[in-house]
Amino acid sequence: MFVKALPNMLTVGNLFLGVVAMILAFQGNQYVDYAAITVIVGMLLDGLDGRVARMLNAQSEFGKELDSLSDVITFGVAPAFIMYVVALQQLDVIGIIITAIFPICGALRLARFNVQAGVPGYFTGLPITAAGGVLATLALYHEVFHLGLLLLSMLLLAFLMVSNVKYPNFKKVGIPKAAYWITPIIVLVVVVVAVKFPSQFPKIVFLPLALYALYGIKKNVEFLFRKLKARREERKTKTFPFD
C-alpha cells in the first residue's frame, strides 16, 4: 500500500515545497536563494513522481489531477511571487498584473495538457515546471539584469507556456524497477548540495533550464525559415514552370 502511494507522496511533497517557497520569498531578499532552491527541489520531486508511478504501475486520474494542482502552486504561483518580491513590487499595479499573468498561463498550459493529446516525444508549449524553474532562478539575477529585461523574460516564459512551440520530453528516461529505492537518496543529495551552496546552486541550475526554454524557440524559428524557403521555391516553380 505504501509503495503504491509513493508517487502521490512525492507530489504532495512538491506542493508542500511550493508553499514553503512562497513563505521564504516574503521573509525578505536574504531568503530568496532558499526560496529558489525549494522550487528546484520541487522540480526534482515533480520529475520523479511520474516516473515512479509508471515504474510501480500506480498511475491514476487522481494522481494526474493532484500533480497539476501542485504544479500550479510550486511552478506557477511560487516563482511569480519570488520575482514580485525581488523586482516587480516597485511597479505597483503593473507588477501585480504581470505577477498574475504567469501562473494564469501556467494553469492554462496544464489544463490544455490534461485534455489534449500531445505529439509523441514532445510537449506542446513550455512545461510549467521548466518555466517556473527558469523564473525562480532568474529572480536571483535581479541585481545584474535590468528590470525591463526581467519583465520581458517573465512575459516571454508565460507566452511560451501557452504557445504551440514543441519541446522534447524525457519521459522515456526512466528508473529501473529494481532501483526505485534510490529516489530518496537523489533528493537528499540535491538538498544537501543546495543547502551547502545556497547562493551558487540555483544560479548554476538557471543555465540548463534557460537553454531548454530557448531550444524550443530556436527549433521553431528554423522551422519557420524552412517553411518560408519552401514557399519561395514553390512560387519560383509556378512562375517559371519550364525552367
Side-chain angles (χ1 to χ4, degrees):
M1 186 68 179
F2 170 79
V3 173
K4 290 292 184 180
L6 183 57
N8 288 338
M9 292 173 63
L10 291 171
T11 303
V12 170
N14 171 27
L15 174 59
F16 172 76
L17 290 174
V19 175
V20 171
M22 288 186 285
I23 294 172
L24 289 172
F26 281 100
Q27 299 305 308
N29 283 4
Q30 66 271 29
Y31 291 96
V32 169
D33 288 342
Y34 292 103
I37 288 171
T38 305
V39 172
I40 293 169
V41 177
M43 291 179 63
L44 180 61
L45 294 185
D46 183 65
L48 288 172
D49 60 6
R51 285 176 169 80
V52 171
R54 289 188 291 273
M55 181 179 65
L56 300 176
N57 195 25
Q59 295 168 284
S60 66
E61 286 300 315
F62 174 83
K64 181 179 178 181
E65 296 302 324
L66 179 62
D67 183 66
S68 293
L69 292 171
S70 300
D71 287 354
V72 170
I73 300 299
T74 306
F75 310 116
V77 179
F81 276 4
I82 294 172
M83 184 62 80
Y84 176 79
V85 168
V86 300
L88 298 185
Q89 60 181 327
Q90 60 185 289
L91 298 178
D92 299 322
V93 176
I94 295 177
I96 293 173
I97 293 173
I98 295 174
T99 301
I101 287 174
F102 185 84
I104 288 172
C105 289
L108 293 172
R109 162 70 176 77
L110 288 167
R112 181 178 65 179
F113 175 77
N114 287 341
V115 300
Q116 289 185 0
V119 179
Y122 289 89
F123 293 116
T124 300
L126 179 64
I128 188 174
T129 307
V134 172
L135 188 63
T137 51
L138 177 64
L140 303 182
Y141 291 92
H142 66 279
E143 295 180 349
V144 177
F145 297 134
H146 188 273
L147 176 60
L149 179 60
L150 296 176
L151 187 152
L152 290 175
S153 298
M154 189 171 182
L155 291 175
L156 176 61
L157 289 170
F159 167 75
L160 288 174
M161 284 192 288
V162 296
S163 71
N164 290 320
V165 175
K166 300 296 187 295
Y167 285 88
N169 68 42
F170 306 101
K171 290 184 178 181
K172 292 185 179 179
V173 182
I175 302 171
K177 288 187 176 181
Y180 73 88
W181 52 269
I182 203 170
T183 299
I185 297 177
I186 294 173
V187 176
L188 181 62
V189 169
V190 172
V191 171
V192 170
V193 173
V195 171
K196 192 171 180 63
F197 306 101
S199 59
Q200 294 85 5
F201 177 74
K203 291 181 179 179
I204 293 172
V205 173
F206 166 75
L207 183 59
L209 292 175
L211 290 175
Y212 179 72
L214 293 172
Y215 171 83
I217 299 176
K218 173 181 176 294
K219 296 297 289 184
N220 279 266
V221 168
E222 289 177 350
F223 173 76
L224 179 61
F225 277 114
R226 287 197 300 268
K227 193 173 181 180
L228 291 174
K229 184 178 179 181
R231 285 182 179 177
R232 286 197 297 267
E233 293 296 330
E234 184 179 353
R235 287 173 183 171
K236 287 181 181 179
T237 303
K238 289 181 179 179
T239 304
F240 305 103
F242 300 106
D243 285 359

